[in-house]
Amino acid sequence: MNFNLKTTIKALFFASAIFAQVKCSSSNDATDPPPVTPPVVTPPVTVTNDVDFWLTKGNQSVLLAKQTTTLGFGTTYNTFPNIVVDEAIKYQTVDGFGYTLTGGSADVINQMIPAKKSALLQELFGSGETSIGISYIRISIGASDLNASPFTYDDLATGETDLDLAKFSLDKDKAGVIALLKEILAINPKILICATPWSAPLWMKDKDSFIGGKLQTKYYDVYAKYFVKYIQQMKAEGITIDAVTPQNEPLHDGNNPSMYMSALEQANFIKTNLGPAFKAAGIKTKIIAYDHNCDQPSYPKTILADADAFPFVDGSAFHLYAGDISALSNVYNAFPTKNVYFTEQWTSSTGEFGGDLKWHLKNVVIGSMRNYSKNALEWNLANNGSFEPHTAGGCNMCKGALTVTSSESFQRNVAYYIIAHASKFVPAGSVRIGSNISGNLQNVAFVTPTGSKVLIVENDGSDMQIFNIKFNDKWVTVTLDGGSVGTFTWK
């Protein structure tokens, strides 16, 4: 074989190898799978928080604490019970929530060092994030049984009288209740104050004792002027009295101090003396009748049925040591142009936190509001660790909302949380709106002056409850332990 032939064969062999490699490579390309299109990923639905939730549990493991659970309104169907809040259904306008600032309360709070006292008053009466916004307080005209000793503003020696009230003086309260009220008013100038006497001066009574007895009819006129002078002198101190009741618990004459006053006697006093005296002096302070238990709705109805007393009376006030809270609706329905108020309910030194929380939320806060009350007040704001001060024979088991334990410290008791679940969220001027009771879920709803909605719910059962808060055809599902209370707010 010549050189040219060998060279040609080598070239052909090399070309065949190249062709085979190219063919093999080409064949592999043809069998590769097509590119995979990535799947479309739907982003998760973000649930925004629409509802704030503040919780207190009966076992005290949670106390008026804002919850971190995200609660968003939606329309996903479930079979849980509904509390339907209906802003179109409107009831009474609310005046406020609070306590009685007794003389004893003032004494123990005023004993605190200035910095601690100031912080406490801001917490109670301020409007900040850590405040509970108390908007209504009750005070006594003279002493209540939660003063260290009984007194009036015109106490005289036995046998003396003071028909022109020349010896009338607020001095016994100036360093206590009056001084503290001035500090409170500096924090909340709009707070409403209701004042009520536990007894008239003894020289006006048919019994020379702070305990029991009646106001003598011959002193009705001077006693009416006693109220006028009180209101005027409090005004001179910078304190406006929004309302008075003629007598605290007029059917309970065994307290120290106390005074008996029948319905007919109170009607006569109002129409003949107190109402005309206010009118003559240009006093706009409301006159609220009764101020005693729910078991005697006939008492305020007797006064309101008196055509001459009726124009002078703004409404009637109630306590719940006897009877049923529905008595407020009983009286309101009979006289729907007149207001009803809830002005006192105590918690006992022997009471249990969880039981008191349930009962008072159900009756005092939710119950009074659902029965047209314009306010809801617990009894004593503060006392010391021995449930003092109190008069001889006065209440020695009344537990304040606060126990002042030293000049620098205090503890919050169950009545603090009972009121705070309303006062912190439902300011004066709010309006109760529609909401239904579902099973053990006792509740009441409001719209505030700024348009926020507030729902207070007390689970009166022992078991945890899951339920919906339904508003404007959307709902949010929440959980509340048995014996717990929740306040829910949304725009």
Side-chain angles (χ1 to χ4, degrees):
M1 188 180 293
N2 63 32
F3 176 76
N4 287 338
L5 181 59
K6 282 172 72 173
T7 300
T8 301
I9 291 170
K10 280 183 176 181
L12 288 170
F13 179 81
F14 182 74
S16 287
I18 294 296
F19 175 76
Q21 287 180 14
V22 170
K23 184 176 180 182
C24 181
S25 173
S26 187
S27 172
N28 284 344
D29 283 347
T31 59
D32 278 351
V36 176
T37 303
V40 177
V41 178
T42 304
V45 176
T46 302
V47 178
T48 58
N49 190 66
D50 297 320
V51 179
D52 287 337
F53 172 21
W54 294 73
L55 174 67
T56 296
K57 292 188 175 184
N59 64 10
Q60 302 183 66
S61 61
V62 181
L63 296 169
L64 194 65
K66 189 175 184 181
Q67 302 303 287
T68 58
T69 311
T70 300
L71 299 174
F73 280 109
T75 57
T76 303
Y77 175 77
N78 64 58
T79 58
F80 300 123
N82 295 318
I83 297 176
V84 181
V85 177
D86 190 344
E87 194 177 2
I89 301 173
K90 289 183 166 62
Y91 299 96
Q92 77 275 19
T93 301
V94 176
D95 281 352
F97 299 88
Y99 306 92
T100 296
L101 178 66
T102 61
S105 297
D107 288 348
V108 297
I109 292 173
N110 283 335
Q111 289 168 4
M112 300 181 75
I113 63 173
K116 297 294 185 181
K117 176 183 170 183
S118 177
L120 172 59
L121 294 181
Q122 283 290 342
E123 177 180 333
L124 294 174
F125 301 101
S127 56
E129 185 64 28
T130 58
S131 300
I132 64 168
I134 295 168
S135 50
Y136 201 112
I137 50 178
R138 182 174 177 236
I139 60 175
S140 58
I141 300 175
S144 76
D145 60 308
L146 295 190
N147 279 81
S149 59
F151 64 85
T152 74
Y153 298 132
D154 201 336
D155 291 327
L156 306 174
T158 302
E160 293 183 2
T161 60
D162 182 21
L163 300 181
D164 58 1
L165 300 177
K167 296 181 181 179
F168 181 99
S169 173
L170 297 176
D171 285 353
K172 290 180 180 177
D173 265 336
K174 282 192 175 177
V177 169
I178 290 173
L180 191 58
L181 277 174
K182 290 179 180 180
E183 294 184 64
I184 292 168
L185 286 164
I187 296 169
N188 180 6
K190 295 182 178 179
I191 196 164
L192 294 180
I193 302 170
C194 176
T196 186
W198 265 241
S199 175
L202 302 193
W203 55 270
M204 299 186 194
K205 297 170 73 172
D206 64 359
K207 180 182 180 183
D208 187 26
S209 171
F210 278 106
I211 302 172
K214 292 184 178 185
L215 179 66
Q216 297 184 67
T217 54
K218 65 181 178 181
Y219 293 120
Y220 275 25
D221 192 55
V222 69
Y223 194 42
K225 292 174 182 174
Y226 178 93
F227 277 84
V228 169
K229 199 150 196 170
Y230 169 74
I231 292 166
Q232 291 173 336
Q233 290 200 11
M234 289 293 275
K235 186 70 172 178
E237 295 288 336
I239 300 166
T240 299
I241 303 300
D242 181 70
V244 296
T245 67
Q247 175 60 41
N248 172 67
E249 299 191 341
L251 301 178
H252 174 30
D253 56 358
N255 201 1
N256 182 20
S258 60
M259 188 171 76
Y260 185 87
M261 184 180 280
S262 71
L264 289 175
E265 288 168 337
Q266 190 165 119
N268 287 333
F269 177 59
I270 290 171
K271 71 182 179 183
T272 307
N273 308 99
L274 189 61
F278 278 20
K279 186 176 181 180
I283 287 175
K284 304 299 183 185
T285 300
K286 303 179 184 79
I287 298 172
I288 301 173
Y290 190 41
D291 209 0
H292 206 172
N293 286 333
C294 287
D295 63 338
Q296 297 289 335
S298 60
Y299 189 116
K301 289 164 88 170
T302 296
I303 296 169
L304 293 170
D306 188 309
D308 294 321
F310 183 90
F312 293 117
V313 178
D314 172 85
S316 47
F318 297 84
H319 308 171
L320 190 53
Y321 304 114
D324 187 87
I325 194 65
S326 61
L328 278 68
S329 283
N330 179 327
V331 176
Y332 176 83
N333 289 333
F335 300 95
T337 63
K338 299 298 183 181
N339 295 312
V340 291
Y341 300 86
F342 192 92
T343 48
E344 181 187 315
Q345 196 69 26
W346 74 314
T347 49
S348 172
S349 61
T350 61
E352 186 266 326
F353 185 99
D356 284 343
L357 183 74
K358 286 177 64 172
W359 191 92
H360 285 251
L361 256 297
K362 178 180 178 179
N363 291 284
V364 174
V365 175
I366 294 169
S368 72
M369 290 290 121
R370 291 189 74 94
N371 285 280
Y372 298 98
S373 186
K374 292 182 70 66
N375 67 349
L377 307 181
E378 287 281 302
W379 172 218
N380 191 29
L381 177 58
N383 51 19
N384 65 22
S386 301
F387 309 104
E388 296 171 334
H390 59 78
T391 62
C395 184
N396 60 5
M397 297 173 62
C398 290
K399 180 190 286 187
L402 307 172
T403 300
V404 176
T405 52
S406 76
S407 63
E408 299 189 29
S409 61
F410 66 93
Q411 70 181 35
R412 301 167 187 86
N413 299 323
V414 64
Y416 174 96
Y417 299 102
I418 291 164
I419 290 298
H421 263 280
S423 61
K424 184 175 179 66
F425 311 99
V426 186
S430 299
V431 176
R432 180 169 74 94
I433 56 177
S435 67
N436 62 296
I437 299 290
S438 179
N440 286 320
L441 299 171
Q442 301 291 315
N443 67 82
V444 64
F446 305 90
V447 59
T448 72
T450 59
S452 293
K453 269 62 69 177
V454 181
L455 178 69
I456 303 170
V457 184
E458 180 260 329
N459 182 352
D460 206 49
S462 56
D463 297 328
M464 182 266 286
Q465 181 79 60
I466 304 173
F467 61 97
N468 300 315
I469 300 171
K470 191 171 184 179
F471 181 73
N472 285 351
D473 296 322
K474 293 186 177 182
W475 51 90
V476 59
T477 304
V478 298
T479 302
L480 194 61
D481 285 348
S484 296
V485 55
T487 299
F488 302 88
T489 67
W490 66 94
K491 289 292 187 181

